[in-house]
Amino acid sequence: MNKFGYALTALALYMGSVSATAQVKQDSLQRDTVLLEEVEVSTGYQTLPAERATGSFERVDERLFNRQVSTDVLSRLDGVMPGILFDKRGPSDVLRVRGLSSIGLTDSRPLIILDNFPYEGDLDAINPNDVASVTLLKDAASASIWGARAGNGVLVITTKKGRFDQPFQLSATSNITIQEKPDLFYQPQVASTDYIDIEKMLFDRGVYSSDLSNTHIWPAVSPVVDILDAQRRGLLTEEEATTKINALRNVDLRNDMSRYLYREAVMQQYALSLRGGSNRLNTLFSAGFDRNLQSERGNGYTRTTVRNQTSLRPLDKLTMDIGIAYSASNRQSNDPGSISMGTGNGIYPYAALVDENGQPAVIARDRRAGYADTAGMGRLLDWRYRPYEELALADNTTRLQNLLFNFSARYQWSSHLSTEVRGQYENQWTHGQQLQHEHSYFVRNLVNTFTQLAGENVIRPVPLGSILDGSRSRLQGYGIRGQANYNRDWSIHRVAAIAGGEIRHTGTESNSDRRYGYDADLRISQGVDYVNRYPRYTNSSLSSIPYMVSSQRAVTRFVSLYVNASYTLADRYTVSASARRDASNLFGVATNNKWSPFWSAGLAWNIADEPFYHWPAMPHLKLRTTYGHAGNTDNDRPAVTTIDYRGVTTLGRFPYAIVSNPPNPELRWEDVATWNIGLDFATRGRTLGGSLEYYIKTASDLIALVEADRTSGFNSFSRNSAVLQNHGFDISLYGRHGKGDLRWLWDASFSHTRNKVLEYYYTPTTYSNAVTRGGNTLTPFVGRPAYALLSYRFAGLDPETGDPLGYLNGEVSKDYTSMIQRATENDVILHGTAMPPFFGALRNTFQWKNLSVSANVTFRFGYFFRKNTVMYYPILSGTTINVHGDYYKRWQQPGDEAHTTVPSMLIPGSAVRDGFYRDSEATAERGDHIRLQDVNLSYAFHGDALRWGPFREIRATLYARNLGLIWKANDAGLDPDYLEMPAPRSVAFGLSMDF
C-alpha cells in the first residue's frame, strides 16, 4: 500500500502491537512517496501480517537488535522491548514477561523458539550476528499455540536466510569492547586501621582465647591476633608487636585484588556472512569467532560458530529448506574465587596477596599460621595458603559443542492450500574439567587431612598428585511437525488457517567423577579406599575420602495437536481462534490430566476503515482484544513415587536411597489465562504512532510446596496449590520528525505490572521468614505481592543505650527474640514489591546525513530494596568478617539517635539484635531510578565515498554502555539494580562492511 510521508533511512511502523523498521534506500532525504513494507510476524508456526493480528506482539528487527553490542542474544533486548523486565537481583538476569506466572517451582523464563522449534541448548551457543529478528508473544492469542510451555510468554528468534533472485553479497563485522574493572570499593567497609583497633579491643576482652588455646584443631586467627598472642607469651616486645601491627594499618586487600586478580575485560567479536541465490536456490553461509578476556584474571571465553541455511525449489510448487549450525565454545574459570580464612570466616581487610619481594603472600586459612608451618615436622605437605599462587595452578575449563540441524518441505497444492513437514535435531555435548594441581591448596589440604604418621612411616590414603574432577553431559532433542495451511482471499473475505500435530523428544544424561593422584602428562590416576573411614590429622574423628561420582538421566516427550484460524471481513473485522492439546510422558497419572487443552480467541476492529470515520490526521486506528489459556510445566516433579540414590551409609557402608517424591496422581500443569485489549494508532505520514494495551493475567493451579501429613514421612510436597493474578498495561510510542539532512527519531515504552497472590494453600505461623528474605525470594502471602519487601516496625533507638526499638503487641519493645519469633501482620510493615511495577525506556536518535547519534534512557519506579548494614555479632564473637561501613554511623552517645538509625555496638554481641535491625524498616530503601543505559554513535560510508574499493557500505560504530544513574530515589549511594557491585562501564568500537 502507498502512503505519503518522509522518506527516512529508518522508518518505524506499528501494526498491531508490533514495532518494526522498514529500510528505505535513496540518495536524498527529500519528501517523497514511500512504499511501506508490510510487517510480518513469526509465531514459530506461521508468519502472518501484523495488520491482521489480534494478539499482542513486540518485534525487534535486525537493525535495532544490532544497535547494542554483546556476544549473547538476550542482553541485546534489554531496554528495547516493551513488556519484558530484566530482573537483575540474582547472579544472572531473569526475563519476566508481564509479571509472574509461577511461584518458584516451575521455570519462570519465557519459552525460547529458534527457527520454529523450542531451543533446549545453551543460549550462549547462538551467535547474535546470525539473528534477523526477535519477536515476543505476550498474550494468549499469540502464545497459546505453544500450549503447555507458553505461560511465561514466548520469545521467537528468527535467524538470517538467503533470498531467491538476489546476487551474492558478502558482509563482515568486527567489534571490540573494553570494560572497566569491577569497583571493589562500592560497598563501604571499615578501614583496616579501625578493624585492627576492634581486634585489639576484643583480644583484651578474651574473645579469641578459646581459639588460641585450642591445640586440637588449631583454628586460624588473623595476623594481628597472632601478634598480640606472641606479645602476651613474651615472644615479642610491646614495641616489636606495635611495629608489626602498625605496618598492617594501611594495607587494604581490595587494592591488591584490583591489581592482581582483576583487569579490564576485553571482548572481541568477528563475523562473516555470504548470501544470495537464483530463482531455484538460495543459500546463506556464516561464520563467527568470539574471544572474551573477562574481568577476573584467569577467566575467559571463546566461541566459534558456523552455519549454513539453504532453500531450493526443485519444482514450482515445492520448496525445501535445510540448515545446519555448529557452535563450539571453551570457557575458563580459573580465578581463585572468594578469599577466606576457612569455613564460617571471611577475610581480614589488611590481608596482602603479594609480599614485599613480589612473591605470593601467605594468608591464614583453616589453621593457625604457626601450626601450619610446623605440623608433621616436615613430613606433611606445605599447609600454607597463597591465594595469588592459586591463579597459576588452576585449570578449570568447560567445553561445549552444539549441533543443530533443521529441515522443511512445503508443497503448494493450490493457491489456497499447502502442506509442510518440519523437523529439527539438536545434539549438545558438554565436558567440564577441573584439574586441581598437586601444588594447589585444595590438594595439599586434602592429602594432609587424611595423612597418618606411624613412627617413621607416612601413610597417605589420599595419594600424592593432582585431583581431576570431570563432568560430562549430553542433550539430544528432536521434533517433527506436520501442518496444513489454508489461505484464501476473495471479495471482501480473508481466511487463514493452520492445523497440525507434532512430537518432541528431549533426553539429557550427565555424569561426573573424581580421579585422585592424577598425572596430567601420563593421563593416569590412582585408586582410593572409599569404603573405610580414616582419622583426620587434626582430630580423632573418622571421615571418608570424598566420593564424587554421580549419574543422571532424564527423558521428556511431548505429543501435541493444534489448530489456528482467523477470518477477516472487509479489512475491518478480524476474528481469530486457536486450540491445542498437549500430552507428556512424565506429568500426571490420572487419565484426565494426561491431555491438557489450551485455547484462545480474539477480535480486531480496524476503525479507521469504517465509512463513518473521518479524521484525516489519524488515518490508522485499530482496536483488538483477546482471551485464552496457556500453561507451564514442571517435569522435574513427576506425579509418581521416585527415589534418589545417595551413595553408601555412614556406618554400615551399604548403598541406600531415599524417597524424594511422594505420589500425587492429581498433579496438573499450571494454567495461565490472559485477557488483553489494545489500541493501535498512527498519524498521517506515521510521524507519530504507537499502541496502548491493558491486560489481566491469572495463573492458577500453580505448583508450590505445602505442608504434608507428618505420618506420611514427608514434611512437605509439591501440589497445585496457588493462584496468582497480574494486571497492567504496556504503552509504546514513536515519533519521526525532521526533513532534509537532519532528523529526530524517538521511541518510548512504558510498562506497568502488579501481581497479587489470590490463593495459597499454606498458612504461615510467623512473618519472620518473609521478612528475612528481603524481597529476593517469593513471599506468597494471600493478598500481597509475590515478591514483597516486609520489615519489622522500627521505633528508633533507645536514647540511653542506642539499642534498636521495635514493636511487640503494639508496644515499644527490645525483646528481639519475641519480636522475631512472634511477629504478626501488625508487627511488620509492607513497603511494596521488590520488583519494579513501572519500567520503560526512552530512546532518542538524531541523524544528520550519514551520522547517527542514539541514546537510550531506562527507568524503573515503584519498588523497594533492602540495603546492607553493619552486623556486630560475627566480629564480636571472634569471626573474621568484613565490617560494613555503617559502623561509622553507629550510635555512640546520647543525642546520636537524632541523626542516625544505626544501633550502638553492644558487647557482647547479640545475633537477634543485629537481625532485628538488619530486617527493620530502617534499612528499606526506594529503588526508583533513571539510568543512561547506552549511547550509540555511528557513521556510514557509501556511494561516492567508496568508489576506491569493493564496498557497498562501511559503517563505523562507537558504543558505550552502563553509563550510570541520572537520578535515584535512595540516599544510600547504591544502584538498586546492582547492590553488591555496580555494573562496569564499557566502550565498544565496531566496523561492519558490505561488499
Side-chain angles (χ1 to χ4, degrees):
M1 55 182 175
N2 290 322
K3 300 291 181 183
F4 291 93
Y6 290 101
L8 306 179
T9 300
L11 183 62
L13 172 61
Y14 273 71
M15 304 293 285
S17 62
V18 182
S19 93
T21 303
Q23 298 302 315
V24 182
K25 294 185 178 181
Q26 57 180 36
D27 295 331
S28 65
L29 295 174
Q30 303 297 323
R31 184 176 178 84
D32 196 1
T33 300
V34 181
L35 176 63
L36 296 177
E37 299 175 350
E38 184 181 64
V39 176
E40 293 188 333
V41 177
S42 173
T43 68
Y45 283 93
Q46 63 181 151
T47 300
L48 67 158
E51 62 182 4
R52 299 190 209 172
T54 62
S56 179
F57 307 87
E58 299 291 345
R59 183 174 183 271
V60 173
D61 69 354
E62 182 179 349
R63 180 174 288 272
L64 181 57
F65 182 78
N66 289 328
R67 180 188 171 278
Q68 303 189 76
V69 178
S70 68
T71 56
D72 68 296
V73 172
L74 295 184
S75 65
R76 298 195 181 197
L77 305 177
D78 190 6
V80 301
M81 185 170 273
I84 187 168
L85 174 69
F86 281 69
D87 188 352
K88 303 177 182 294
R89 293 173 300 166
S92 59
D93 293 355
V94 177
L95 278 64
R96 305 195 185 277
V97 179
R98 289 185 164 181
L100 297 173
S101 301
S102 64
I103 56 174
L105 294 187
T106 51
D107 194 346
S108 61
R109 297 172 298 179
L111 174 65
I112 305 296
I113 304 299
L114 178 65
D115 289 336
N116 306 309
F117 281 94
Y119 182 74
E120 309 290 354
D122 188 340
L123 285 175
D124 286 338
I126 304 174
N127 188 340
N129 291 292
D130 288 332
V131 174
S133 67
V134 180
T135 303
L136 175 65
L137 313 180
K138 299 191 294 184
D139 72 337
S142 58
S144 65
I145 190 67
W146 286 103
R149 303 177 64 185
N152 297 312
V154 180
L155 210 57
V156 180
I157 301 173
T158 303
T159 57
K160 299 174 183 177
K161 297 175 175 60
R163 297 177 182 176
F164 290 107
D165 298 315
Q166 181 192 56
F168 276 90
Q169 297 178 353
L170 179 66
S171 299
T173 301
S174 172
N175 58 67
I176 181 171
T177 302
I178 301 174
Q179 179 179 286
E180 67 180 354
K181 292 182 181 181
D183 181 5
L184 303 183
F185 292 84
Y186 177 63
Q187 285 284 347
Q189 71 176 44
V190 166
S192 296
T193 182
D194 297 317
Y195 190 93
I196 289 172
D197 289 338
I198 296 174
E199 286 189 309
K200 293 179 65 177
M201 178 267 294
L202 296 176
F203 182 87
D204 293 337
R205 289 176 172 268
V207 171
Y208 305 107
S209 296
S210 61
D211 286 343
L212 293 172
S213 61
N214 188 335
T215 57
H216 188 55
I217 61 174
W218 299 89
V221 296
S222 73
V224 166
V225 175
D226 239 348
I227 293 171
L228 294 173
D229 181 57
Q231 178 189 342
R232 185 174 61 183
R233 291 188 291 125
L235 302 178
L236 292 174
T237 66
E238 180 179 357
E239 182 179 359
E240 290 173 331
T242 300
T243 300
K244 287 179 175 291
I245 290 174
N246 287 342
L248 301 174
R249 290 186 178 273
N250 293 323
V251 178
D252 193 321
L253 175 61
R254 293 173 296 181
N255 289 323
D256 271 13
M257 292 179 64
S258 181
R259 179 178 180 182
Y260 296 109
L261 300 184
Y262 291 94
R263 62 190 173 191
E264 285 79 16
V266 179
M267 284 78 77
Q268 303 171 66
Q269 190 173 59
Y270 308 93
L272 187 71
S273 70
L274 176 67
R275 65 177 172 180
S278 64
N279 64 338
R280 289 291 183 181
L281 181 144
N282 71 62
T283 189
L284 177 142
F285 173 83
S286 67
F289 177 74
D290 299 84
R291 182 173 185 266
N292 296 348
L293 295 179
Q294 297 174 348
S295 297
E296 301 86 355
R297 292 185 184 272
N299 291 359
Y301 177 74
T302 60
R303 179 183 65 196
T304 302
T305 59
V306 181
R307 177 174 171 269
N308 176 256
Q309 189 73 36
T310 299
S311 298
L312 65 153
R313 293 174 179 163
L315 303 173
D316 291 340
K317 295 185 177 183
L318 178 63
T319 302
M320 302 178 66
D321 296 275
I322 185 170
I324 186 170
Y326 174 77
S327 174
S329 64
N330 191 316
R331 188 181 300 275
Q332 301 87 37
S333 302
N334 296 325
D335 67 294
S338 60
I339 300 173
S340 73
M341 293 178 62
T343 304
N345 283 283
I347 188 64
Y348 40 93
Y350 49 85
L353 296 179
V354 174
D355 62 22
E356 61 275 8
N357 299 318
Q359 299 300 310
V362 174
I363 288 179
R365 178 166 180 170
D366 294 327
R367 54 198 57 83
R368 292 274 298 277
Y371 176 77
D373 291 340
T374 59
M377 304 298 293
R379 290 183 292 173
L380 295 179
L381 301 180
D382 180 5
W383 220 336
R384 291 172 292 184
Y385 174 53
R386 305 172 185 85
Y388 184 48
E389 182 181 64
E390 299 293 310
L391 183 62
L393 299 175
D395 184 7
N396 186 6
T397 61
T398 301
R399 294 187 294 274
L400 182 146
Q401 298 178 75
N402 183 282
L403 178 65
L404 193 66
F405 173 78
N406 65 78
F407 70 90
S408 69
R410 180 187 180 102
Y411 192 83
Q412 193 74 36
W413 298 93
S414 68
S415 59
H416 312 309
L417 179 64
S418 66
T419 56
E420 63 183 63
V421 176
R422 292 183 180 274
Q424 184 190 72
Y425 174 77
E426 182 176 5
N427 201 336
Q428 179 173 289
W429 305 267
T430 304
H431 180 263
Q433 170 183 290
Q434 184 173 12
L435 179 62
Q436 306 276 6
H437 194 275
E438 60 181 325
H439 295 150
S440 68
Y441 177 79
F442 175 84
V443 173
R444 290 183 282 115
N445 180 54
L446 190 62
V447 171
N448 285 347
T449 295
F450 285 93
T451 295
Q452 303 169 45
L453 302 181
E456 297 298 323
N457 297 323
V458 179
I459 303 172
R460 292 189 171 97
V462 176
L464 297 175
S466 301
I467 296 177
L468 176 65
D469 288 330
S471 63
R472 292 149 296 278
S473 66
R474 186 176 184 183
L475 179 150
Q476 284 186 299
Y478 62 81
I480 300 175
R481 179 188 306 161
Q483 180 174 302
N485 310 288
Y486 183 81
N487 294 274
R488 186 178 181 186
D489 296 359
W490 74 100
S491 182
I492 60 173
H493 310 282
R494 289 183 179 180
V495 174
I498 63 171
E502 64 181 337
I503 60 173
R504 284 198 58 77
H505 168 100
T506 303
T508 59
E509 55 182 317
S510 62
N511 61 77
S512 62
D513 55 42
R514 169 173 287 183
R515 301 182 186 182
Y516 290 97
Y518 184 74
D519 187 315
D521 294 327
L522 300 178
R523 302 296 178 99
I524 59 175
S525 59
Q526 302 179 43
V528 297
D529 181 5
Y530 293 115
V531 176
N532 295 305
R533 293 187 295 163
Y534 296 92
R536 303 174 71 90
Y537 185 83
T538 53
N539 58 58
S540 57
S541 64
L542 297 177
S543 297
S544 301
I545 297 174
Y547 179 74
M548 307 297 291
V549 177
S550 66
S551 179
Q552 294 179 338
R553 182 174 181 267
V555 175
T556 303
R557 299 187 183 98
F558 279 92
V559 178
S560 306
L561 300 173
Y562 60 89
V563 61
N564 181 289
S566 67
Y567 169 72
T568 301
L569 177 65
D571 287 332
R572 295 199 295 270
Y573 315 106
T574 299
V575 179
S576 68
S578 69
R580 178 182 176 111
R581 295 197 73 182
D582 285 327
S584 170
N585 65 316
L586 292 179
F587 210 94
V589 173
T591 302
N592 291 337
N593 296 332
K594 285 183 176 294
W595 282 89
S596 293
F598 302 98
W599 60 272
S600 71
L603 298 170
W605 179 23
N606 194 347
I607 303 173
D609 286 347
E610 290 288 355
F612 62 79
Y613 184 84
H614 304 288
W615 190 9
M618 188 75 69
H620 307 280
L621 190 64
K622 176 183 175 183
L623 181 68
R624 52 189 165 77
T625 185
T626 61
Y627 180 80
H629 293 257
N632 281 327
T633 63
D634 182 19
N635 284 334
D636 289 335
R637 290 171 176 80
V640 295
T641 304
T642 54
I643 62 174
D644 182 10
Y645 289 96
R646 293 294 183 91
V648 295
T649 60
T650 302
L651 296 179
R653 315 305 289 167
F654 299 113
Y656 79 103
I658 64 170
V659 178
S660 60
N661 190 76
N664 183 6
E666 301 303 321
L667 202 61
R668 303 179 300 278
W669 277 321
E670 297 178 342
D671 182 82
V672 182
T674 305
W675 174 69
N676 187 88
I677 185 169
L679 180 69
D680 310 315
F681 60 92
T683 61
R684 183 185 296 276
R686 298 188 180 272
T687 57
L688 179 66
S691 65
L692 312 174
E693 295 192 17
Y694 177 77
Y695 63 89
I696 298 176
K697 183 167 70 171
T698 303
S700 58
D701 284 338
L702 299 186
I703 301 174
L705 288 174
V706 298
E707 289 185 343
D709 184 346
R710 297 300 175 91
T711 62
S712 67
F714 295 89
N715 294 324
S716 62
F717 71 103
S718 303
R719 62 168 293 185
N720 302 98
S721 57
V723 178
L724 179 68
Q725 186 179 83
N726 303 265
H727 65 89
F729 58 78
D730 293 326
I731 300 176
S732 299
L733 301 172
Y734 68 88
R736 304 293 181 258
H737 314 286
K739 58 183 178 180
D741 291 338
L742 181 63
R743 294 174 295 118
W744 171 36
L745 301 83
W746 60 269
D747 297 88
S749 65
F750 181 40
S751 295
H752 167 60
T753 181
R754 286 194 181 276
N755 63 70
K756 181 170 63 175
V757 179
L758 299 183
E759 296 180 23
Y760 187 43
Y761 301 157
Y762 175 75
T763 302
T765 57
T766 177
Y767 277 74
S768 59
N769 288 336
V771 170
T772 57
R773 292 174 182 176
N776 293 320
T777 56
L778 286 159
T779 53
F781 292 98
V782 173
R784 301 283 181 92
Y787 281 96
L789 180 63
L790 292 90
S791 299
Y792 300 117
R793 294 185 181 275
F794 184 66
L797 300 178
D798 187 321
E800 299 298 326
T801 63
D803 290 331
L805 302 175
Y807 292 92
L808 183 63
N809 300 323
E811 301 291 333
V812 176
S813 174
K814 290 198 291 185
D815 186 353
Y816 306 114
T817 300
S818 295
M819 285 190 292
I820 291 174
Q821 294 181 353
R822 294 162 50 190
T824 65
E825 187 172 4
N826 295 327
D827 299 318
V828 299
I829 182 173
L830 172 63
H831 301 280
T833 177
M835 290 178 58
F838 299 95
F839 59 95
L842 173 62
R843 186 175 65 256
N844 283 280
T845 303
F846 297 93
Q847 296 180 343
W848 180 71
K849 294 185 177 180
N850 297 333
L851 178 67
S852 175
V853 179
S854 174
N856 195 23
V857 175
T858 62
F859 57 85
R860 299 185 175 193
F861 299 138
Y863 72 113
F864 297 83
F865 69 93
R866 192 177 305 287
K867 66 178 181 179
N868 292 329
T869 190
V870 62
M871 301 288 287
Y872 298 118
Y873 179 76
I875 183 68
L876 295 179
S877 61
T879 300
T880 302
I881 189 172
N882 286 328
V883 180
H884 192 274
D886 278 358
Y887 171 83
Y888 295 116
K889 301 177 182 179
R890 72 192 186 282
W891 186 98
Q892 300 185 61
Q893 60 187 9
D896 286 351
E897 68 276 0
H899 55 78
T900 186
T901 63
V902 181
S904 59
M905 186 168 69
L906 178 67
I907 300 176
S910 169
V912 290
R913 180 180 186 261
D914 286 351
F916 170 79
Y917 175 71
R918 177 198 61 203
D919 298 324
S920 73
E921 58 183 304
T923 60
E925 297 282 349
R926 292 195 64 90
D928 304 38
H929 68 272
I930 302 174
R931 180 189 310 278
L932 179 57
Q933 177 163 300
D934 60 37
V935 173
N936 184 296
L937 173 67
S938 65
Y939 189 87
F941 301 87
H942 51 72
D944 293 340
L946 299 178
R947 288 180 298 178
W948 46 270
F951 305 101
R952 291 186 297 110
E953 180 179 282
I954 297 178
R955 181 175 295 273
T957 301
L958 175 65
Y959 176 76
R961 186 176 175 87
N962 296 326
L963 299 180
L965 297 178
I966 299 174
W967 170 85
K968 63 181 184 298
N970 75 83
D971 297 323
L974 297 173
D975 186 332
D977 282 347
Y978 305 94
L979 295 179
E980 299 300 326
M981 193 84 70
R985 294 184 294 265
S986 64
V987 177
F989 306 89
L991 193 67
S992 61
M993 296 166 285
D994 293 333
F995 296 86

